[in-house]
Structures are given as structure tokens and as C-alpha cells.
Amino acid sequence: MVSRRNVKGWSALSVAVGAVLALNAAQPASAGRTVAPAGAVLLSLGTCPDAGMCATARRDLVPDGRRLDLDRTAAAAPVDLALRTAGRFADVTVTDRAGRRVAGTVSPDGARWRSVGPLAADGRYTARLLVERTTGGRRVLHRAGLALTTPAAPRGERLTAELGPRPGRYGVGQPLTAELSHPVPATDPEARRAVERALHVSSVPRADGAWHWVGPTTLHYRPRGYWPAHATLTVRSSLDGAHITGGLYGGPSAPLTLTTGARIEAVTDVAAHTMTVLRDGEVVRTIPVTTGKAGYRTRGGVKVVLGKEATVRMRGDSIGIARGSGDFYDLKVRWATRVTWSGEYLHAAPWSLDAQGSEDVSHGCTGMSTEDAAWLFATVREGDIVRVVNGYGEQMTPFDNGYGDWNLSWPEWRRGSALAAADAGPGTGSGAPEGVLTPAL
């Protein structure tokens, strides 16, 4: 039975070696192959540049703990282990010098193991194999091992990732971000997969999620639903030394740890002219509000708090209203909670008290009394959720005006991941599929 463990991010990218270790029926010396001693395991080493397309020229060897140095060509493709002696893999464990596992999959018949990606440059790896055979009706286990090394990456520029946001405590709607030092275009899906495999996200409590390519240098990460409340999120990169594409290799990137607070949601019902604020699902305050009037309708959908300003100057020309126009304004506004980069806020609007709770008179912001705005300002933090429902405005866009990430359905979000297609195939994806060997959490 092939063991199943949970594949975690670093392993997936640290597998950047293009070598094949195969074990099938031993061939006689006259065929130009190494002959394994009786009862031993025989391996052959080659390259697998593409899934299902491994090089035919293989180097036979008996895995007895000896070291094998891979050249740069071999180290640029995944490792493939295929049994050349009778039996099946009961377990395959490949670890780097720090003891981290390299992710891989075992074929349904148990005769082959293939790494998810190439091994990192300048690496030292240990392969431990457990082969199960049946002899005289009895189950017999054979152990074998091999050390692998990969050459240092060639000199040149490195791809790194600046992980965000900055450390701190956030609301449960805060997406994680990665800004790359070099563009990775959509026309190079294998390079994008290499980057995604090297960017590892974990949360306690657990929340499974996915990266989404916003552009050639930007990725966002979010779970299917919001993050758990009071969670610890950790993001780290194993890009350093990883082969990305051509002559481009990964470089070091600083890790990131942040936490979430209570689940705070501010839900504005435009038709009812109210904002209901919930903490962990319980209503804590209902606030009369006014939203955007005709021609300036407040955007609908899910937004995320971007920041807070105790006092902010708002001018009509910042949103295209000409000076001298009847709609022009120039105001100092208190207790402003920002939800878009273009200037949509939740803020105090003492000049519209008569309209709050009954009429839409703003230029797109959500206005309320000074007391309610001050309370909201003290209650929310960056990353908290603001939802606008039953309105008349356009939908919040996903990426170009703040964090509208949650307005994409989960299938739409997954389509932005270069790994989505691979995850949908057999032997891959979340949930520790059959044949994937992963480290314990």
C-alpha cells in the first residue's frame, strides 16, 4: 500500500532535479546494464523533462547509499524512479539537507515514483526507498537509499518574492500577496507552476486556499471562504535555488507571519439605508446610512478595509467633478475608513443627517453620524469585510481598485492558478491524493 502524506509547498518546488531512478527486472550484463545482486534493488537514472516523456537512455545503478552528482541538464527536470526489479514501492521519501520532503507521486501499479518538479540548485538530497515483494507467499520489504546532489545555479539575476501584507493583525478578508522581482508571463505556465509550488501558505486553524495570478509580477492568495477568526497565517518561499525557466533561478525571500482578529463584517443594505455590523456572526450595531445618489452609485459586492484616516480632505475633482460644478465639494471628513483606492470611504457625514436611514445623497461613499463613524473607525481594522447589497451601483472589480478578490467565485479564483489544471488531474490536488507523499504537519 502506498503511503499518503500531506504535500506542503516547499517540497513541491525543491524537487527541481531532472533525474530518473528506475527499478524493473534486472537485465543481464551482456545487455550493457548493471546487474543487481540477488535480492537487491536496481535503479536507472535519466531525465523527465515533460510528464510521461522520460529519456530512454538511463544509467543503471544499485542504490546502496552512494552519492550521485547530477549535472545542470539533469537537474532541470523532475526525478523519476521506476522499479526495474520485481515488486512495488511501499514508500518513497526524498528529503533535502534540512530534512524537508520532496513532493512526488507514485503510479497506480506502485512501480514508479516521479517528483512534482525539478530539484533546487546547489542541493543535497537523500532518497529512501521501501520496496515490497512477495516471496513464497510471504510479504518481504527491502530498503535502499541514494544520495543526490545538484550543481549551483549559474550566476545571474534571481527571481524573488516580496510577501505581503506587512506583519500584523488583520481582518479575515485580507488576501495575501506576492510581488515578484521578474515577470512570469502567462505564456510560460510551467514557470508559473514553479513559482506557485515555491510559495507556501499555512494557517492555524487550517484553511485551504490557492494563489491567483493578477499579472506577470503579482499573485494574490485567499481561501475558498474567509480566513478563520483568530488564526495565525504563515507564508514562506522556497524559491531560492529553484529553476524557474531558461537561465532564471529563484533567490531568497523573507518569510511572513500575521494573525487575524475577530470576524468583523459591515453589511450595507442600500435599499434599507442601514449598515449592520457583525462580530463573529452576532449583530453588534445597526447604523442608519446614506449611500451614492444617481450618477454616483456606491459599488456593490464585497470590499476589504484598506486603511483608516482620522481626518481626510475630500475634493470633487479627485473623482472627476469639475470645480464650479453644482456637485463639487471640498470637505475635511472625520473617521474615514477606506475601502477602495479611488476614494470610497465609510465616514462621518454630519451634513446629511436628515437623509441617513431614508435617502441616498452621497457621491459614492457611505455616510453616517459622527458618533457612529467614530465607533466604526474604532471597531474595524485592515482586512475586515465590507459588503454592499441590494444596491444599484456597478460591482466591485476584483483587483484594480482595492481588494475585490472575494467577488470571484471559487472556480473562477482557481482558474487564475497555474496549478489548477494539474490539481484537477489524477493523483494531484488537495486532500492528500493517492500516491502523493507529503510531510506530516
Side-chain angles (χ1 to χ4, degrees):
M1 186 75 179
V2 176
S3 68
R4 298 171 57 185
R5 304 182 181 87
N6 192 15
V7 176
K8 272 327 239 184
W10 192 100
S11 333
L13 210 291
S14 58
V15 211
V17 183
V20 178
L21 304 161
L23 307 151
N24 257 326
Q27 301 295 322
S30 60
R33 301 179 182 271
T34 301
V35 178
V41 167
L42 181 67
L43 301 177
S44 62
L45 188 62
T47 58
C48 284
D50 297 299
M53 296 182 63
C54 298
T56 54
R58 293 186 174 121
R59 181 173 161 192
D60 289 347
L61 60 126
V62 177
D64 54 5
R66 73 182 67 182
R67 192 181 84 178
L68 182 64
D69 298 324
L70 303 176
D71 61 25
R72 186 162 289 126
T73 300
V79 172
D80 183 271
L81 296 145
L83 280 167
R84 298 185 68 78
T85 43
R88 59 180 287 126
F89 285 125
D91 195 12
V92 178
T93 303
V94 181
T95 55
D96 69 356
R97 69 183 79 194
R100 293 172 294 198
R101 290 182 186 249
V102 169
T105 59
V106 176
S107 61
D109 62 2
R112 169 167 289 185
W113 178 89
R114 187 175 187 270
S115 65
V116 170
L119 300 176
D122 195 23
R124 296 179 183 177
Y125 299 87
T126 301
R128 298 176 181 86
L129 315 174
L130 189 62
V131 179
E132 177 184 327
R133 292 174 177 151
T134 302
T135 304
R138 295 178 56 200
R139 178 173 173 266
V140 180
L141 295 176
H142 297 268
R143 298 180 185 275
L146 178 69
L148 299 171
T149 65
T150 57
R155 291 185 177 182
E157 293 192 40
R158 297 283 184 268
L159 183 144
T160 59
E162 182 179 350
L163 304 174
R166 64 190 183 280
R169 178 163 290 187
Y170 292 85
V172 300
Q174 177 65 48
L176 303 175
T177 62
E179 293 292 337
L180 306 181
S181 60
H182 290 69
V184 180
T187 53
D188 194 347
E190 187 54 46
R192 286 195 165 191
R193 284 191 284 271
V195 170
E196 284 189 56
R197 291 188 189 111
L199 299 176
H200 316 301
V201 179
S202 62
S203 70
V204 181
R206 179 172 175 171
D208 292 328
W211 289 102
H212 184 107
W213 287 83
V214 177
T217 60
T218 304
L219 297 91
H220 286 192
Y221 185 101
R222 51 155 271 209
R224 183 188 296 266
Y226 302 127
W227 295 105
H230 311 291
T232 299
L233 315 180
T234 302
V235 194
R236 63 181 180 82
S237 165
S238 60
L239 281 168
D240 198 10
H243 179 251
I244 305 302
T245 186
L248 181 63
Y249 285 75
S253 303
L256 169 69
T257 299
L258 52 95
T259 60
T260 61
R263 176 170 171 157
I264 302 293
E265 297 177 76
V267 183
T268 298
D269 186 328
V270 174
H273 302 98
T274 60
M275 172 187 288
T276 302
V277 182
L278 302 94
R279 178 184 289 112
D280 294 329
E282 298 291 328
V283 175
V284 292
R285 195 163 180 134
T286 299
I287 299 170
V289 298
T290 184
T291 61
K293 61 185 178 181
Y296 303 94
R297 295 297 189 187
T298 302
R299 297 171 185 82
V302 184
K303 306 159 194 175
V304 171
V305 172
L306 301 175
K308 300 188 294 183
E309 299 168 59
T311 303
V312 61
R313 184 180 179 185
M314 295 185 179
R315 299 186 308 184
D317 50 10
S318 67
I319 61 170
I321 301 175
R323 289 178 177 272
S325 163
D327 277 328
F328 183 79
Y329 55 89
D330 188 345
L331 300 167
K332 285 187 177 179
V333 176
R334 297 299 309 279
W335 311 122
T337 298
R338 181 188 283 268
V339 292
T340 73
W341 297 125
S342 62
E344 183 181 326
Y345 290 85
L346 321 176
H347 63 78
W351 54 86
S352 64
L353 282 175
D354 290 345
Q356 292 164 21
S358 60
E359 190 179 357
D360 295 323
V361 299
S362 86
H363 290 87
C365 291
T366 300
M368 63 200 78
S369 72
T370 301
E371 178 187 353
D372 285 333
W375 175 87
L376 183 69
F377 188 93
T379 300
V380 300
R381 58 167 53 92
E382 285 185 49
D384 280 336
I385 303 155
V386 175
R387 287 197 292 128
V388 177
V389 300
N390 299 327
Y392 319 103
E394 295 180 356
Q395 188 79 356
M396 174 70 174
T397 52
F399 304 117
D400 62 352
N401 197 15
Y403 293 125
D405 304 49
W406 304 101
N407 294 294
L408 294 180
S409 67
W410 185 241
E412 289 173 325
W413 184 266
R414 291 286 291 134
R415 283 197 287 273
S417 165
L419 292 174
D423 285 349
T428 57
S430 60
E434 186 67 33
V436 176
L437 306 181
T438 62
L441 295 176

